[in-house]
Amino acid sequence: MLSAFFIFNVKGEVLISRIYRPDIKRSVADIFRIQVVSSTDVRSPITTLGSMSFFHVRHENIYLVAVTKINANAALIFEFLYKVTGLGRSYFGKFDEDAVKSNFTLIYELLDEICDFGFPQNTEAETLKLYITTEGVRSERAMKEEGARIAIQATGAVAWRRPDIKYRKNEAFLDVVESVNLLMSAKGTVLRADVSGQVLMRAYLSGMPECKFGLNDKVLLEKEGKLGSAVSTVPGGGRKSAGAVELDDCQFHQCVKLGNYERDRTINFIPPDGECELMKYRTTENINLPFRVQAAVVEISKNRMEFKVSVRSQFSNKIFAQNVQLKIPVPTNTSGVKCLVTAGKAKYVGSENSIIWKISRFQGQQEYLLSAEAELTSTTTKKAWSRPPISMDFQVLMFTASGLMVRFLKIFEKSNYPSVKWVRYMTKPGTYQIRGDPSMQPSLRLFEPQA
Amino acid sequence: MSMRGLTVFIADLRNCRARELEEKRVNKELANIRSKFKDPQLSGRQKKKYVCKLLYMYILGWDVDFGHMEAVNLLSSPKYSEKQIGYLAVTLMISESNELVRLVVNSMRKDLDDHIEIHQCLALQAIANISAREMAEALSTDVMRLMTSGQAKSFVKKKAALCLLRLFRRHPDLIPAKDWADKIMVGMEDYDMGVALAVTSLVVAVAQSHPDHMAGCVPRAISRMHKIVMEKQYSPEYVYYKVPVPWLQVKLLRLLQYYPPPEDNATRGRVMNIIQTILKNARDIPKNIQHNNAQNAILFEAINLAIHMDPQSEAVVQASELLGRFISSKETNIRYLGLETMAHLAGFAESVSTVKKHQETIISSLKDKDISVRRRALDLLYSMCDVSNARVIVHELLQYLAIADYAIREEMVLKIAILTEKFATDYSWYVDVILQLITIAGDNVSDEVWYRVVQIVTNNEDLQEYAVRTVLTALKSPTCHETALKVGGYILGEYGHLIANNPGCTPAEQFMALHSKFTMCTTPTRALLLSTYLKFINVFPEIKDQVVAVFKQYRFVLDVELQQRACEYLSIATLASDELLQVACEEMPPFPQRESALLSRLQRKTQDTEDKRTWQIGGLDANKENLLAASYKRHSRRRSAVESTDAQLQQQQQQQQRQNSGLLDLSDDLPAQQPPVHHLHQELQQQQAQQTAATTAASYARLVREPNGVLYEDANIQIGLKTEYHAALGRVAIFYGNKSTATIANLATDMDVGDGVRVTLLQPIASSVPPATQLHQMYNIECLSPVNLHATLKISYTVQTAHQPFSSSSNPTTDNNTLSLRLPIVSTKFLTPAPLSRQDFLARWTQIGGPPREMQIVAPTGPSVCTDVGQLRNAVEQHLAVSVLREFEDAVVAAAVWNAASGVGKVGCLIRIELNVAQKMFRLTLRSTNEQVTAALAPQIRDIIESF
């Protein structure tokens, strides 16, 4: 189990250090700083140095590091680290260096509570917030009552929700957020594509509501015999409106009753109050790529290089993408670039060594072109340009790359109050990369280079 | 002139908190500079600014791969500030191998020729810093000219001399020392002390590698020293804390040590005079530390020179008194220098009595708080050791070894070992010391040390018994170092029998002493111990059972070396007769006398980096050799310059060889004790192989004429062949039959073919053959050329045999077998009959003509066909794919076409065989249209006829 827990900033300074077991010294922090933070090599999240293993995750501008001297369960330790980031976010809004610095007493208090002698304990923010607070100490009497309540909740069946929540207006929001990972070859073949999505829930519901929620999960639909008949509007109006999605693996928030899911693939749960990540999933089949990019990079001469990039939106023309940005790498010895685009703005950014092309609003079923000419200076060492891939950033609302949609969300409560439910979809890129084609000749010249 | 852009940029970079941010900022700046450099009209000031920024990034470690041209351009700017930045950039960014060096050389030459001194200085500095080969080639003459020119200012000359020194150190071959020697030496007499100092540094460097050319520097050095010390001629600004030009004095004194003492008495007296004066000056110790340092620097060099001149002189006696004071000084530096100089003295003085007086102090210096002082004390003790004080010194060293730093332990161990060996008066002392050494610092005892012990024990018979006894006692102690175990293993194995009758030393006890430590040691030691055990079996038959049990256990150990040893030794031990065992375990003969590997090891450790040492650490012997070698060098050099370099080279090589061989010395010999065993094992195998070889040859000969048959057969496996040929193509099926009762496993086949034939595998084979079954594989064959037409089949397999002839255990063992069989794929296989009439035959016969396309062979016939031409004819028709012309009656005449798939193609062959019944001989005449085919085919046909 954990022997120690540290928080470092990006410079490698120790912000928080908590030793859980006497088998290591505080100075191991230096080892981590020297071997991991300051080293420029490829970093693995687990570094074993001597008899110690360092597990680290990076969040915002801090490193969270767990140290163990035994062969501990790595998954458990990472889960713990992510729980700590979750706690931090839920306590401070943003969990970064400044937040750590201004709340270090609270963090030490939390660390004492969530881990005992290296064994993780209750890490549920809802429960912890009841008794680890930033407020002052209240009277002893109030504490007594409170204490009993806290004990019941912390040890009860639904640790993540207080029983006495009341809202005047009962609302539930579901956000389906997907990130598409893509690696496309220059010829346009998809080398790797997958979607990792999450379903976020914000519940403002009174009492102890039981929720049930259905997706167009292929296994479920087949089971219900509804495949084919269950066609409705898949968000974004993608081509595959046949509508069933094969989910490769799903992970649920602890509130979901896994027994029911295992039995008949229904998702039943009592949601925690406020925001939570209800489920995570991944698919690799039948992915609707929101954008298709083609790029041609031609070396006209030793010190001239021409770029032609076309980008086409493949979603329905009723919706649009926001904040589309393409990053087109240019050689490191570029001295200047002339760009011409049919939409948006493009310019050469020296600090990134690339052309940044921004399109603030990109309607569906459109195609835009960029044509650029880079001027190169001669260098003393002839190094072949590594041709990094073009990468892309965007945000498409009401579109899911996997085709996933929420079929229903039902809420049952003893008092049977009416509730309002909202569903929202969004797709954004994870790593969305397209390799440039060095051999492809540009078919047309969009502009003549000025003399 | 301030450069605001640069300061802002540096401030920006310093404010970057993370590496990524810094990278972004750098990339941005690089992009900006690239776009700025596009403009050819960029002003010098701007250029300077951007080059500065590039330099800053470069120094921070970022990759800067442009802007070099701009930096080079700055060199030719008339402004000093721009030129300076240009030179700075050039020295930093242009490496020796860069192509731009050539461009830079021209600008540099221009600056050297310029009459502005600061430009000359900049150029000189840059040349020294880059010191590329090309640069040295092109500019060394210019630098030389500057150094010797009358007009050049002193500070330019000074820089030129230092620049030349640097070039000489980097590329000694490029500086023509012989031609320049006189010109260089003139500088030593320069009225300017700075110039003289710089030039002397150069002279010291050159004199080390070309002493003959620089011989003229000796009188100059003496007169300069005389002027400074005796006549007090020096400019007041060069007086450093009341000491006149200490650096120059030190250099000159050092220079004199590279040359033999002057022969004529006058000069000699002058030098001694100078030394005496220096010694006199050093009588009173100044209060000021800097003054003291300067004075001591000169003093120590002077003492060194005095020792070099004459170790017996009055000056040296005085000096040794001084030294005695120094080694107990409070100052660490002085103690260090005192000890070092005393080691020098000990290395030359005929009797070390002067040094011995201070023995107590020196030994206490071993415990000095400063490690470098401790090292020097060790060196000194090593140098001053002789028969009279060896015991005391070795004893002290051993005591100190236990608490010594790890950094100097190995060196100490080596030195103790050498001293003990060199000055041992009785052997028991030697053995005791070495064992103590191993016990105290086992980990630091290098292999050479214990190899040497073994050598000495083996070579000295009177020592052996004592050695065995002591070693055994050491082994019996509960803690015993592995090196001791190695020594013990070897010595007990060889001489254990000498003490077998003593109480407490019975064979079983000896064996137990070793074997109780067996599991704790590393593999090489275990291997050595296994060999020892075998020797035990030889001399102590009574413990054979115990030892055999160990061998049996180690037959299955994972390590290959151990396993092999265990297996081999077990088979030797369990052989019916003891003959082999006795031969294998015969006592080791004495090692040939040779130089100790330890000395060369020690010398390798004392490699100098800067100015060469003028003496060796070690007693008089070490330095005598040195002197002899030096004088030999000098003599040979007088004969001719060319010869001398050769001799030098040779000497170096010899020395290297000696060092190398020294290292290998015993390590070569130790494994040499194993070979008898290996040989015998191989012999056994060879005998078996020979038996099968005879039968294999017969079956091969049969298969050359027959298409099918058995190629090889032994107790386990039978390999058969079926072949089929059509013109240049053929097909071979190879059958593997398992005759044994066990499975043949790991069957692997490989075909090794010549260029004349191409073999392709049609049908591969499984890797195991169950008992009493047959598997086969198919090959396609294609004939390409008559030359190199052969194919060999390599087979390897293992058989699980249940028994072993001389082993009592019935554990199954595996036998590895490899076979290499020549396949009967020969040139005659690619013949096809060609029916011809008598006329046609005769016409072609004459058309082809004699040699080289004809070949005639006379040979004895086979037993079955020797009587009758008719019989021979039938046999030929049956076994060779030729058409026999029956029209010829007195001889066998046949015609055929030889086929190849490529190259020569189809070749007509005419054959005539005449039989001499009386002598049982035949004459084969073969004519073909291709000489290569003739050469290949004729012997093959002869072989077939012979085999009838």
Side-chain angles (χ1 to χ4, degrees):
Chain A
M1 295 296 101
L2 299 136
S3 291
F5 175 85
F6 296 103
I7 298 181
F8 291 85
N9 66 5
V10 278
K11 282 183 169 174
E13 292 161 349
V14 183
L15 303 178
I16 297 285
S17 100
R18 177 74 173 86
I19 308 289
Y20 285 116
R21 281 164 179 251
D23 56 354
I24 59 163
K25 289 189 205 137
R26 228 164 262 278
S27 54
V28 297
D30 293 334
I31 301 178
F32 180 80
R33 174 170 54 76
I34 293 162
Q35 299 286 344
V36 181
V37 182
S38 325
S39 105
T40 49
D41 301 340
V42 184
R43 288 166 191 179
S44 140
I46 305 182
T47 320
T48 302
L49 300 162
S51 60
M52 279 170 297
S53 302
F54 294 86
F55 298 70
H56 77 270
V57 296
R58 206 176 150 172
H59 180 79
E60 306 268 348
N61 54 0
I62 53 175
Y63 289 94
L64 291 99
V65 184
V67 190
T68 179
K69 275 199 112 165
I70 57 170
N71 185 13
N73 184 342
L76 184 140
I77 289 181
F78 281 116
E79 184 62 29
F80 177 75
L81 292 177
Y82 283 114
K83 281 281 186 196
V84 174
T85 59
L87 267 179
R89 266 198 318 221
S90 122
Y91 264 89
F92 317 121
K94 201 174 177 206
F95 194 38
D96 58 5
E97 189 181 341
D98 292 334
V100 173
K101 277 183 174 163
S102 44
N103 292 296
F104 70 92
T105 41
L106 183 64
I107 292 175
Y108 275 117
E109 226 176 306
L110 279 172
L111 288 176
D112 284 341
E113 194 57 38
I114 58 177
C115 193
D116 250 355
F117 195 56
F119 293 97
Q121 306 291 316
N122 192 351
T123 52
E124 199 49 55
E126 281 308 308
T127 318
L128 289 170
K129 273 182 181 167
L130 291 176
Y131 53 98
I132 296 179
T133 54
T134 45
E135 294 150 33
V137 182
R138 276 162 290 173
S139 75
E140 210 170 286
R141 199 141 172 231
M143 283 294 288
K144 218 177 222 171
E145 250 173 64
E146 194 112 294
R149 218 162 43 89
I150 292 166
I152 288 169
Q153 202 201 323
T155 54
V158 189
W160 55 88
R161 189 175 176 95
R162 283 182 290 130
D164 53 351
I165 302 166
K166 283 204 175 58
Y167 286 101
R168 191 178 296 164
K169 198 175 165 192
N170 289 300
E171 283 180 307
F173 301 87
L174 269 185
D175 285 349
V176 179
V177 180
E178 294 197 334
S179 43
V180 203
N181 295 312
L182 171 77
L183 182 63
M184 197 186 263
S185 79
K187 299 264 184 295
T189 38
V190 175
L191 301 175
R192 199 195 70 198
D194 59 85
V195 172
S196 54
Q198 49 185 172
V199 180
L200 301 173
M201 173 141 193
R202 270 180 300 150
Y204 305 106
L205 300 168
S206 315
M208 284 296 236
E210 278 245 28
C211 302
K212 191 177 171 190
F213 134 81
L215 298 166
N216 55 345
D217 177 9
K218 195 172 176 187
V219 182
L220 180 66
L221 292 181
E222 270 168 6
K223 190 173 248 167
E224 291 176 1
K226 283 188 192 165
L227 196 63
S229 66
V231 176
S232 57
T233 48
V234 169
R239 279 161 296 156
K240 285 180 270 318
S241 50
V245 175
E246 208 168 311
L247 297 178
D248 280 1
D249 65 330
C250 302
Q251 268 185 343
F252 293 100
H253 187 262
Q254 70 178 109
C255 67
V256 174
K257 288 171 185 151
L258 289 175
N260 290 358
Y261 182 75
E262 295 296 327
R263 203 165 51 242
D264 50 16
R265 306 276 283 194
T266 55
I267 302 167
N268 290 340
F269 57 96
I270 299 171
D273 194 37
E275 194 175 329
C276 77
E277 187 192 73
L278 196 59
M279 96 182 250
K280 279 195 284 195
Y281 60 89
R282 211 160 53 82
T283 66
T284 48
E285 308 268 314
N286 294 330
I287 291 166
N288 308 317
L289 293 177
F291 292 98
R292 194 163 266 276
V293 179
Q294 273 197 317
V297 182
V298 186
E299 271 179 69
I300 300 172
S301 68
K302 228 170 109 183
N303 43 18
R304 261 174 205 288
M305 202 173 256
E306 199 179 75
F307 295 82
K308 298 233 180 260
V309 181
S310 76
V311 51
R312 185 180 166 76
S313 55
Q314 308 207 84
F315 42 84
S316 140
N317 57 6
K318 292 198 185 81
I319 55 177
F320 60 88
Q322 289 172 314
N323 302 331
V324 179
Q325 177 181 316
L326 280 93
K327 189 171 148 191
I328 304 152
V330 294
T332 48
N333 57 341
T334 305
S335 59
V337 179
K338 278 179 248 165
C339 302
L340 217 70
V341 286
T342 52
K345 276 179 190 161
K347 69 166 189 228
Y348 168 61
V349 180
S351 59
E352 308 265 354
N353 271 325
S354 43
I355 303 170
I356 304 286
W357 180 16
K358 285 182 180 158
I359 305 162
S360 53
R361 190 186 157 99
F362 203 131
Q363 201 70 39
Q365 302 294 335
Q366 292 284 320
E367 182 164 4
Y368 297 127
L369 297 165
L370 168 139
S371 146
E373 194 167 272
E375 215 173 319
L376 312 177
T377 53
S378 53
T379 59
T380 41
T381 47
K382 294 278 173 291
K383 269 183 294 185
W385 180 41
S386 61
R387 290 181 183 275
I390 295 172
S391 56
M392 217 179 155
D393 194 19
F394 51 81
Q395 223 176 41
V396 194
L397 285 177
M398 301 316 281
F399 170 84
T400 52
S402 62
L404 184 98
M405 58 154 198
V406 177
R407 281 167 57 224
F408 59 81
L409 172 66
K410 292 175 188 157
I411 297 166
F412 309 101
E413 221 279 338
K414 274 178 276 176
S415 60
N416 220 354
Y417 52 72
S419 53
V420 190
K421 288 153 277 186
W422 306 88
V423 181
R424 199 164 60 145
Y425 303 94
M426 187 172 78
T427 296
K428 58 185 187 182
T431 51
Y432 203 85
Q433 296 184 324
I434 300 96
R435 291 188 183 153
D437 186 354
S439 61
M440 216 163 100
Q441 292 296 321
S443 51
L444 72 166
R445 291 176 80 91
L446 283 184
F447 69 100
E448 293 299 320
Q450 287 134 11
Chain B
M1 255 200 304
S2 71
M3 290 182 277
R4 237 194 109 230
L6 179 66
T7 16
V8 168
F9 173 63
I10 292 175
D12 274 3
L13 282 188
R14 287 199 177 147
N15 288 333
C16 287
R17 301 194 50 152
R19 204 180 158 277
E20 290 79 24
L21 295 174
E22 190 178 307
E23 183 170 2
K24 281 205 167 143
R25 183 70 185 90
V26 166
N27 278 339
K28 188 179 161 196
E29 197 59 42
L30 285 175
N32 176 36
I33 296 173
R34 279 195 297 265
S35 67
K36 293 284 189 215
F37 279 167
K38 266 197 304 190
D39 177 15
Q41 310 296 315
L42 200 64
S43 75
R45 190 182 124 69
Q46 295 279 6
K47 228 183 252 178
K48 182 182 77 177
K49 184 174 84 184
Y50 292 124
V51 168
C52 276
K53 283 185 180 178
L54 284 180
L55 268 182
Y56 188 73
M57 287 184 256
Y58 181 80
I59 293 169
L60 283 185
W62 297 99
D63 207 13
V64 174
D65 56 0
F66 67 98
H68 297 57
M69 276 318 292
E70 280 72 15
V72 173
N73 286 345
L74 279 180
L75 291 190
S76 46
S77 154
K79 270 193 197 158
Y80 176 73
S81 65
E82 286 164 23
K83 204 184 259 293
Q84 185 195 23
I85 294 296
Y87 271 114
L88 180 62
V90 164
T91 38
L92 279 175
M93 302 209 291
I94 294 186
S95 63
E96 256 183 77
S97 50
N98 204 306
E99 286 171 16
L100 284 169
V101 165
R102 226 166 290 155
L103 280 172
V104 179
V105 164
N106 281 329
S107 321
M108 284 182 170
R109 179 171 292 135
K110 217 176 281 167
D111 279 336
L112 287 181
D113 291 341
D114 208 344
H115 288 291
I116 305 167
E117 287 87 6
I118 44 175
H119 291 182
Q120 289 175 334
C121 285
L122 280 178
L124 284 171
Q125 226 162 333
I127 294 169
N129 274 325
I130 302 173
S131 65
R133 197 171 174 83
E134 251 174 90
M135 212 170 254
E137 272 167 8
L139 295 175
S140 55
T141 29
D142 293 270
V143 178
M144 180 67 192
R145 189 173 41 73
L146 267 187
M147 191 182 97
T148 49
S149 97
Q151 297 128 350
K153 287 254 174 64
S154 300
F155 66 89
V156 178
K157 280 188 185 174
K158 212 155 65 176
K159 275 208 161 33
L162 291 176
C163 178
L164 216 54
L165 172 62
R166 163 86 173 153
L167 291 182
F168 178 74
R169 281 188 180 149
R170 289 300 309 277
H171 314 286
D173 49 319
L174 286 183
I175 309 294
K178 194 179 166 191
D179 306 337
W180 289 3
D182 294 333
K183 281 194 206 161
I184 292 175
M185 281 184 296
V186 172
M188 288 174 72
E189 287 158 345
D190 200 291
Y191 71 95
D192 187 293
M193 291 286 180
V195 178
L197 176 59
V199 173
T200 310
S201 305
L202 177 63
V203 170
V204 168
V206 180
Q208 282 172 52
S209 37
H210 305 278
D212 290 344
H213 304 319
M214 302 301 282
C217 67
V218 175
R220 285 192 172 90
I222 294 173
S223 76
R224 187 98 215 191
M225 272 310 283
H226 195 261
K227 270 184 199 157
I228 296 171
V229 180
M230 311 303 283
E231 296 166 26
K232 304 205 186 299
Q233 280 186 14
Y234 43 82
S235 49
E237 64 262 39
Y238 279 95
V239 176
Y240 176 83
Y241 289 96
K242 296 181 200 157
V243 183
V245 268
W247 294 278
L248 183 58
Q249 289 198 48
V250 166
K251 288 231 146 78
L252 291 171
L253 289 170
R254 166 57 61 120
L255 180 61
L256 289 176
Q257 290 173 55
Y258 289 115
Y259 287 92
E263 310 206 337
D264 72 303
N265 285 330
T267 3
R268 211 187 170 89
R270 247 174 121 191
V271 177
M272 286 322 257
N273 217 350
I274 294 170
I275 294 173
Q276 287 286 4
T277 319
I278 294 173
L279 289 179
K280 204 167 74 217
N281 288 346
R283 291 242 166 251
D284 37 283
I285 301 155
K287 286 273 179 339
N288 188 309
I289 185 134
Q290 309 290 0
H291 183 185
N292 199 4
N293 282 346
Q295 190 177 305
N296 284 335
I298 300 170
L299 177 63
F300 281 111
E301 254 347 301
I303 296 176
N304 278 332
L305 180 62
I307 298 169
H308 175 76
M309 297 284 288
D310 180 8
Q312 254 57 268
S313 67
E314 177 60 24
V316 175
V317 177
Q318 282 178 25
S320 64
E321 275 167 37
L322 274 178
L323 288 178
R325 212 170 68 206
F326 287 146
I327 58 169
S328 48
S329 157
K330 266 186 234 156
E331 278 285 314
T332 313
N333 288 340
I334 295 182
R335 281 201 306 274
Y336 178 95
L337 289 167
L339 288 170
E340 191 180 23
T341 317
M342 214 175 238
H344 185 186
L345 183 61
F348 279 87
E350 287 295 338
S351 85
V352 286
S353 56
T354 43
V355 182
K356 267 193 210 160
K357 274 190 282 182
H358 310 290
Q359 194 164 310
E360 286 300 308
T361 331
I362 299 166
I363 287 172
S364 65
S365 303
L366 270 181
K367 298 171 185 83
D368 199 284
K369 61 180 184 293
D370 190 303
I371 178 144
S372 53
V373 174
R374 294 198 291 265
R375 271 180 204 279
R376 290 291 84 81
L378 174 63
D379 283 344
L380 176 53
L381 281 177
Y382 175 70
S383 300
M384 66 186 275
C385 192
D386 62 12
V387 184
S388 62
N389 58 6
R391 287 203 173 211
V392 185
I393 289 181
V394 168
H395 178 71
E396 285 297 332
L397 287 179
L398 273 177
Q399 276 204 327
Y400 174 56
L401 182 62
I403 49 164
D405 284 8
Y406 285 94
I408 78 171
R409 273 194 182 189
E410 197 184 339
E411 198 182 329
M412 281 195 77
V413 168
L414 267 180
K415 285 187 169 156
I416 294 174
I418 293 172
L419 289 180
T420 325
E421 188 192 326
K422 206 155 127 191
F423 300 114
T425 41
D426 63 297
Y427 291 122
S428 53
W429 181 63
Y430 174 75
V431 173
D432 290 343
V433 168
I434 296 289
L435 274 181
Q436 229 175 317
L437 202 62
I438 292 171
T439 325
I440 294 171
D443 291 330
N444 305 88
V445 176
S446 52
D447 282 344
E448 284 93 337
V449 174
W450 79 264
Y451 288 172
R452 186 71 187 162
V453 178
V454 167
Q455 262 184 33
I456 288 174
V457 171
T458 313
N459 289 6
N460 294 298
E461 241 173 82
D462 2 347
L463 180 54
Q464 288 161 1
E465 194 186 328
Y466 180 76
V468 190
R469 242 184 307 128
T470 345
V471 165
L472 187 61
T473 335
L475 284 179
K476 278 183 182 164
S477 76
T479 53
C480 156
H481 193 268
E482 196 169 327
T483 314
L485 195 58
K486 284 183 197 166
V487 178
Y490 187 89
I491 292 182
L492 283 185
E494 287 292 326
Y495 311 109
H497 56 94
L498 294 179
I499 54 163
N501 296 329
N502 298 10
C505 307
T506 59
E509 273 167 306
Q510 288 189 22
F511 176 70
M512 278 320 294
L514 288 177
H515 200 63
S516 59
K517 310 266 186 327
F518 188 84
T519 44
M520 263 99 76
C521 53
T522 56
T523 319
T525 313
R526 287 188 199 192
L528 187 141
L529 287 182
L530 284 181
S531 304
T532 305
Y533 295 169
L534 184 71
K535 294 175 194 167
F536 277 165
I537 295 188
N538 184 31
V539 288
F540 309 134
E542 59 264 41
I543 57 164
K544 184 173 174 177
D545 291 343
Q546 290 176 47
V547 176
V548 166
V550 175
F551 287 153
K552 275 187 185 154
Q553 185 191 346
Y554 275 84
R555 272 185 313 173
F556 305 109
V557 81
L558 270 182
D559 186 85
V560 184
E561 175 70 29
L562 290 185
Q563 196 186 38
Q564 185 175 355
R565 280 187 193 229
C567 288
E568 285 176 4
Y569 295 164
L570 182 65
S571 3
I572 293 174
T574 49
L575 274 181
S577 81
D578 274 353
E579 240 170 83
L580 179 59
L581 179 68
Q582 276 164 9
V583 174
C585 299
E586 228 167 75
E587 202 168 289
M588 286 296 286
F591 288 92
Q593 285 295 338
R594 52 161 91 93
E595 199 197 343
S596 167
L598 302 181
L599 279 173
S600 50
R601 169 77 190 257
L602 193 67
Q603 266 156 22
R604 198 181 44 179
K605 284 186 164 295
T606 54
Q607 290 280 326
D608 259 3
T609 43
E610 264 302 290
D611 284 346
K612 283 183 209 153
R613 261 220 168 101
T614 49
W615 50 280
Q616 289 279 327
I617 292 173
L620 195 57
D621 303 344
N623 285 301
K624 255 186 193 157
E625 268 174 42
N626 231 24
L627 288 176
L628 279 178
S631 70
Y632 166 73
K633 264 195 232 170
R634 263 200 303 286
H635 282 298
S636 63
R637 204 175 285 113
R638 266 177 213 145
R639 268 183 264 136
S640 88
V642 185
E643 246 180 48
S644 78
T645 46
D646 281 352
Q648 234 174 320
L649 269 179
Q650 261 178 13
Q651 254 185 352
Q652 277 173 358
Q653 278 171 354
Q654 276 170 2
Q655 211 172 353
Q656 265 179 351
Q657 275 169 4
R658 206 186 313 151
Q659 281 183 4
N660 294 341
S661 68
L663 273 180
L664 295 172
D665 269 348
L666 203 94
S667 45
D668 277 347
D669 291 341
L670 275 187
Q673 67 184 105
Q674 316 311 346
V677 183
H678 287 281
H679 281 315
L680 278 156
H681 196 79
Q682 279 168 0
E683 262 172 41
L684 280 176
Q685 282 185 338
Q686 272 172 4
Q687 271 181 4
Q688 281 182 341
Q690 272 166 8
Q691 283 173 2
T692 48
T695 52
T696 315
S699 39
Y700 172 79
R702 202 178 60 249
L703 278 167
V704 166
R705 42 179 220 264
E706 308 275 357
N708 309 328
V710 173
L711 178 66
Y712 173 86
E713 190 162 8
D714 64 17
N716 299 322
I717 197 166
Q718 184 190 49
I719 297 169
L721 220 58
K722 271 189 179 172
T723 55
E724 211 178 278
Y725 292 93
H726 298 286
L729 300 176
R731 179 170 293 180
V732 179
I734 303 173
F735 291 81
Y736 301 89
N738 185 352
K739 290 166 64 182
S740 69
T741 51
T743 308
I744 287 179
N746 302 328
L747 177 68
T749 65
D750 185 24
M751 197 68 103
D752 184 12
V753 293
D755 322 327
V757 64
R758 185 191 299 149
V759 175
T760 41
L761 180 63
L762 275 187
Q763 195 182 333
I765 192 163
S767 66
S768 67
V769 187
T773 44
Q774 197 180 45
L775 298 177
H776 71 280
Q777 64 184 157
M778 298 272 275
Y779 288 98
N780 256 355
I781 293 161
E782 212 176 335
C783 174
L784 302 173
S785 116
V787 188
N788 274 334
L789 188 86
H790 60 81
T792 310
L793 182 66
K794 290 192 170 153
I795 307 161
S796 68
Y797 63 91
T798 54
V799 187
Q800 307 263 339
T801 47
H803 66 96
Q804 255 208 322
F806 39 67
S807 155
S808 54
S809 76
S810 59
N811 289 336
T813 55
T814 52
D815 275 1
N816 274 315
N817 289 294
T818 51
L819 289 173
S820 176
L821 301 173
R822 184 161 182 202
L823 288 181
I825 297 171
V826 292
S827 48
T828 47
K829 297 281 187 189
F830 302 100
L831 288 172
T832 44
L836 285 179
S837 68
R838 188 190 163 94
Q839 284 83 6
D840 284 348
F841 182 88
L842 288 174
R844 291 188 191 189
W845 184 264
T846 44
Q847 197 184 344
I848 292 172
R853 292 195 280 188
E854 184 206 73
M855 194 175 220
Q856 226 169 42
I857 303 175
V858 180
T861 53
S864 61
V865 291
C866 55
T867 49
D868 185 5
V869 178
Q871 266 183 335
L872 180 63
R873 188 176 289 138
N874 290 339
V876 167
E877 202 159 29
Q878 198 183 337
H879 294 302
L880 276 169
V882 294
S883 65
V884 175
L885 277 64
R886 303 236 169 220
E887 290 141 310
F888 296 91
E889 294 196 344
D890 51 340
V892 181
V893 174
V897 174
W898 189 82
N899 303 279
S902 66
V904 292
K906 290 184 186 305
V907 177
C909 304
L910 307 175
I911 303 162
R912 184 184 163 86
I913 307 163
E914 292 143 297
L915 193 67
N916 185 335
V917 179
Q919 298 199 325
K920 298 190 177 175
M921 300 284 272
F922 69 91
R923 186 169 72 181
L924 165 73
T925 314
L926 177 79
R927 287 187 178 185
S928 81
T929 50
N930 183 302
E931 50 197 84
Q932 281 181 344
V933 174
T934 311
L937 214 47
Q940 205 60 58
I941 295 175
R942 181 209 49 206
D943 287 351
I944 292 176
I945 298 170
E946 271 179 343
S947 70
F948 287 154

